[in-house]
Amino acid sequence: MSLQVYELMMQEDGTLALPTELLEKLDLQPGDKLRVIETSEGFFIPLRLGVPGIVRDFQKATDESGVTLGDLLQALKADRAATAEVRYAANPST
């Protein structure tokens, strides 16, 4: 992977404008937050997928697959029941 440098522009009101390409790569949406951390080596922006990103990814995956939240919950319930049956059948005292 080659090093890519992006230039941010400070607006008159103090906000930073990010290039469209960077916004798309980071999948940033209005309201998303970035943190800037200062270290002895300089500043860096740690990237992590926060809750809004997880929700977007989950929605996209369910839309593409046709699987609903109800389907997932039903499968989870069945899996928990099967696990409990195996666990308690093997060790009835717990």
Side-chain angles (χ1 to χ4, degrees):
M1 177 178 187
S2 64
L3 179 65
Q4 180 68 42
V5 177
Y6 295 95
E7 192 170 275
L8 309 181
M9 181 179 288
M10 177 72 75
Q11 304 294 319
E12 291 290 327
D13 64 358
T15 60
L16 289 173
L18 282 69
T20 302
E21 180 183 357
L22 181 60
L23 290 171
E24 290 172 355
K25 283 185 176 184
L26 296 174
D27 190 27
L28 291 174
Q29 304 296 322
D32 287 350
K33 295 180 180 182
L34 292 176
R35 290 184 178 174
V36 177
I37 298 175
E38 182 177 7
T39 71
S40 60
E41 301 296 319
F43 297 90
F44 74 97
I45 301 172
L47 299 178
R48 61 187 173 113
L49 189 63
V51 172
I54 292 169
V55 170
R56 278 194 305 272
D57 287 353
F58 180 80
Q59 185 65 51
K60 182 179 177 184
T62 56
D63 288 348
E64 290 174 356
S65 68
V67 174
T68 67
L69 179 58
D71 295 335
L72 294 172
L73 292 173
Q74 186 177 5
L76 177 61
K77 184 177 179 179
D79 185 60
R80 289 183 66 166
T83 299
E85 187 176 316
V86 169
R87 181 177 183 188
Y88 295 118
N91 190 3
S93 64
T94 58

